[in-house]
Amino acid sequence: MFHRPAVHPLLRGRLTTAAIALGLLGTLTTSAWAGAREPSPQQRAQAPVTAVRSTAGTATPLSGYAIQSSAKVTDSPAAVSSPGYRATGWYPAGARSTVLAALIADGVYADPFYSTNQQKIPKADFQVPWWYRSDFTVADATKRTYLDFSGVISAADVYVNGKRVAKAADVNGAYTQHELDVTSLVRSGTNTVAFRIRPNDPDKNLTMGWIDWLQPPPDENMGIVRDVLVRRGGPVALRDAHVVTKLAVPSLATADLTVKARVRNDSGAPVTAQVSGSIDSRTFATTVSLAAHRTKTVTFAVHLNSPKVWWPAGMGGQPLYGLDLTASVNGVPSDTAHQTFGIRDVRAPLNSAGDRQYRINGRKLLIKGGGWSPDEFLRWDRTYVEDRLKYALDLGLNTIRLEGHIEPDEFFDLADRYGILTLPGWECCDKWEGQVNGEERGDPWTAADYPVAKASMAAEAARLRDHPSVISFLIGSDFAPDATIEKTYLDALKAADWKTPVVAAASDNSSPISGSSGMKMTGPYDWIPPNYWYAKREGGATGFNSETSAGPDIPTLDTLRRMMTPAELATLWKNPNAKQYHRSPSPVFNTLKLYDNALTGRYGPPTSLTDYVRKAQLAQYENVRAQYENVRAQFEAYERNATDATKPATGVVYWMFNSGWTSLHWQLMDRYLDQGGAYFGAKKANEPLHIQYSYDDRSVVVVNNRNASARQLTARATLFDTDGTQKYDRKAVGVKVSGGGAHSTALTLPSSVAGLSSTYLVRLTLTDASGKEVSRNVYWLSGKPDTLDWAHTDWYYTPTTSYADLKGLNSMAQVPVSATASTAVGTDGTSTTTVTVRNSGKGRTPSLLTDVHLVDSVGRPVLPVRWSDNEVSLWPGESKTLTVTYRTSDLHGSAPRVRVSGWNTPERTVPAA
């Protein structure tokens, strides 16, 4: 996220460091909390005991902890970390949990996502170290035992059975990965591991911060947010197993694989180990002689004919391979390793304009992405994450960018399976860029920071390199690293066999070794009108824009009532200048003034909360659609310009895809996964075969993101007054468009039409050779365009000096829309409700943006859901059949119902059983 200092004052035993990271994991919790309550001491004293398996090659995660503030613990570290210690009055915590996540789950605090509850949590409680304590049992102490972990925020002293095995100076940084050989301390029966975790300050530690995305958690995410594994094995350990792939491009006919692993003798005597492995029924083996405490790297070469090639979703399949390795001594397995990988080729050269252009398996790809946020308290819920990734596919996005907060292994496993590309990288505006970001927050680096940075890079590179979904690592965000820092990163990447492109920064910066980033970070981050995106300047549709959007994304009324008090909701629509706690801590983004001014200027002042949300949803649909003009998911404009001969669009990342809490900005869906105008505007823009209007030259363009070309299409454009009176109609027949993101201009609308009202509607339809409608798009336009003041562009927006006049929409007659619905219960745990909506009005007026919500018997939205289409506009007599799929269990035993509403449609709810 880009920041300028003047306006962002609020930003702000034996230890071996192995190059394998485990994954950034949060605590699995529910998403709703009761009011504040204090668990009983008896409840808090109980912490789970983990039964550790003895089989060689196994890794057992600790199942949870008892935690307590060091301010309340007077016992010695030796006592706290010894078996049998009575953790009376301590709190239970999950296996992956920050301190605050645990306290929320334990009911200590009221829902921090509601109102200003989070402000009431005392920060002082988290400015001292906290203890994390866990017991595990071992049946066979003759096996070697290791603690393997990362994800400690910010640093920790580590103890096992009363002995300190690592110091906080060594266990430092959220991403560094550590392996402790604790064999000499572990005994049969109960054992104890304890972490004394230091407070986190993102400006001082190479960890994680929240920039201006949301109100930061009072504990700054201190805790353990990845699994702590207890590994068992024999005298020889296998580590760092991975596969380097080389795909023949463009033929894709063959692939050469290089399998690598480190074989380590952890015993005090020489050993001879047999290392054997397999990939896809191909086997290989070798013998390794190792002196005591020595390590060697083994390498195997595998050649594949007709390899199963991994593709992003929509371009092909997502096949994955598995590597299995075993190290044996005297015929007895000592350790095993398994790694999943995909075969694909990624290249990202700079084009003639100096912009980064990605190619996957030899095919040019327009990056259409969104900026990802984890849960604010770093809680990991696989189902919740999977739901959001499915939403990304539903929206037509192909990429997720992770600026810091790099998610756990499961996230990338899911991205591999669904074919969603990922762009992980370090974050801006704190310690990570403190050495190079001028006057912004973030302390300059000291000599102690460079080893932490290198270990962090090595760990993340080793963890991510085999995931085919990962197509780059951004070693800088707002700023590129200096020569020393860049070499630190690149040395770690090279040692880890990192083969995908390394990008210097997400902004238009260069680094001494990697050179130009080929990206731009020119905003906007706050409201701008739709025609902004068509200019080939600033954030407009040219080059690779790594983060950009029109800022505020007001949730649905259902969600607003879940996150704000009645008084706060009244302020929301009545006072544009009011500071909004659920927007941002930044003084630049803590009000909705720019957004509300535009809403009033274009649509007229809101008359109620309902009217405010109604206009917000309309504006968001319109604006997101404009952002997605031609680049599918911000970007009808980017998509249209992707094949331009000069200064083409190569990538765009909507800022942001989602929010980590209940937010009023930067999100395509809200915290509860409800979908409003922003979501369906993006979904419409990103449909595979799409007809669209261009705000700059009035052209009507057909975009084809399917692989195959489309022919014998008919494009039709019809203009209406807001009362439904038709003023213009034109067809273009025989339209053809190539596949793979190509576009074709079907026709151009006239600059003026006699008698057309100042606010008018444009209906675009695209039909195939059989006459079937394959795309429909409705715009509301004005004879008076929005006027941008380009000369006064700031880093976060371009001022609008006069607004388009869309107030004519307020005079549209109310139109009745009838609805019938039925539900089929599947055998896979899902249900599908089919809804037919019909404009049953007798006049000419269309129903604009008719929304259908699936609700339960008391009117609560059923979420998540996946609609075939929604927010549809219907002319009198027209009907549309929609389907919605969801988990049957999310009805919680209720009968389904559908709620129908719209811009000029009275709300009604009908049964759908």
Side-chain angles (χ1 to χ4, degrees), residues 361-654:
N361 303 330
R363 289 172 56 182
K364 188 182 295 185
L365 176 72
L366 177 68
I367 296 296
K368 302 173 289 187
W372 182 268
S373 174
D375 171 79
E376 178 177 4
F377 307 109
L378 304 184
R379 297 167 296 187
W380 173 258
D381 184 327
R382 179 187 174 91
T383 299
Y384 184 55
V385 169
E386 190 168 11
D387 288 337
R388 283 181 284 167
L389 291 177
K390 288 179 179 178
Y391 271 15
L393 292 180
D394 187 46
L395 288 171
L397 303 183
N398 59 25
T399 304
I400 290 294
R401 180 184 167 210
L402 299 97
E403 182 187 358
H405 307 94
I406 305 174
E407 290 278 33
D409 292 339
E410 293 99 319
F411 177 91
F412 296 96
D413 290 340
L414 290 168
D416 292 346
R417 188 207 307 172
Y418 289 120
I420 299 172
L421 304 174
T422 61
L423 290 171
W426 305 128
E427 65 192 50
C428 83
C429 316
D430 56 21
K431 181 70 173 186
W432 285 101
E433 293 187 345
Q435 189 71 7
V436 295
N437 64 6
E439 298 178 8
E440 290 193 21
R441 295 286 294 272
D443 289 2
W445 286 24
T446 68
D449 294 314
Y450 290 88
V452 176
K454 187 172 185 177
S456 300
M457 187 73 265
E460 289 305 288
R463 187 171 72 93
L464 301 178
R465 64 193 163 194
D466 279 340
H467 287 283
S469 60
V470 178
I471 58 169
S472 277
F473 199 96
L474 279 66
I475 57 174
S477 180
D478 291 18
F479 296 88
D482 62 24
T484 305
I485 296 174
E486 183 179 24
K487 188 175 186 303
T488 298
Y489 290 147
L490 293 182
D491 285 349
L493 287 161
K494 182 179 179 180
D497 288 325
W498 184 267
K499 299 302 180 184
T500 56
V502 177
V503 180
S507 59
D508 184 11
N509 274 304
S510 298
S511 59
I513 305 171
S514 302
S516 173
S517 70
M519 294 186 176
K520 66 178 182 179
M521 191 185 286
T522 48
Y525 300 100
D526 214 322
W527 191 87
I528 42 80
N531 58 350
Y532 172 97
W533 302 107
Y534 287 84
K536 286 197 173 185
R537 56 181 299 173
E538 275 74 39
T542 181
F544 194 122
N545 199 340
S546 69
E547 48 181 65
T548 183
S549 78
D553 287 297
I554 305 301
T556 64
L557 192 55
D558 295 298
T559 291
L560 285 172
R561 287 172 172 155
R562 293 180 70 175
M563 60 186 268
M564 301 173 77
T565 66
E568 290 165 343
L569 291 173
T571 300
L572 177 67
W573 73 270
K574 291 180 179 179
N575 187 357
N577 296 314
K579 292 182 180 179
Q580 294 293 340
Y581 184 71
H582 285 267
R583 188 159 187 218
S584 173
S586 163
V588 178
F589 301 121
N590 63 1
T591 75
L592 291 166
K593 183 177 180 180
L594 293 176
Y595 179 79
D596 288 350
N597 286 347
L599 210 64
T600 297
R602 303 175 96 236
Y603 295 99
T607 57
S608 66
L609 175 64
T610 301
D611 184 56
Y612 177 80
V613 174
R614 186 175 71 118
K615 288 173 176 171
Q617 296 299 323
L618 193 73
Q620 286 158 200
Y621 183 100
E622 173 194 32
N623 218 345
V624 172
R625 183 182 64 193
Q627 292 174 36
Y628 275 60
E629 301 275 288
N630 256 305
V631 179
R632 331 277 311 194
Q634 190 151 11
F635 311 161
E636 284 176 355
Y638 272 81
E639 186 101 28
R640 190 199 66 177
N641 292 356
T643 54
D644 285 1
T646 59
K647 299 179 68 176
T650 61
V652 64
V653 177
Y654 186 91

Side-chain angles (χ1 to χ4, degrees), residues 739-792:
H743 74 271
S744 177
T745 300
L747 53 90
T748 300
L749 298 182
S751 58
S752 63
V753 174
L756 190 64
S757 56
S758 58
T759 303
Y760 60 97
L761 304 177
V762 176
R763 183 182 68 195
L764 305 179
T765 60
L766 186 70
T767 54
D768 62 17
S770 69
K772 178 184 176 182
E773 186 175 282
V774 293
S775 178
R776 170 186 283 224
N777 215 345
V778 175
Y779 294 79
W780 39 99
L781 301 175
S782 170
K784 176 189 175 186
D786 295 288
T787 304
L788 288 152
D789 183 6
W790 293 104
H792 290 91

Side-chain angles (χ1 to χ4, degrees), residues 12-52:
R12 44 149 208 92
R14 169 170 156 250
L15 175 65
T16 60
T17 302
I20 301 176
L22 302 178
L24 178 56
L25 305 176
T27 302
L28 178 63
T29 66
T30 59
S31 59
W33 303 276
R37 61 179 175 84
E38 188 76 3
S40 70
Q42 291 77 20
Q43 290 174 317
R44 294 199 300 267
Q46 297 174 5
V49 178
T50 305
V52 172

Side-chain angles (χ1 to χ4, degrees), residues 779-830:
Y779 294 79
W780 39 99
L781 301 175
S782 170
K784 176 189 175 186
D786 295 288
T787 304
L788 288 152
D789 183 6
W790 293 104
H792 290 91
T793 296
D794 206 337
W795 65 269
Y796 63 98
Y797 89 119
T798 296
T800 303
T801 56
S802 64
Y803 298 107
D805 181 8
L806 300 173
K807 300 180 184 68
L809 297 177
N810 295 320
S811 63
M812 290 182 70
Q814 291 288 292
V815 173
V817 173
S818 61
T820 58
S822 62
T823 298
V825 179
T827 59
D828 59 351
T830 67

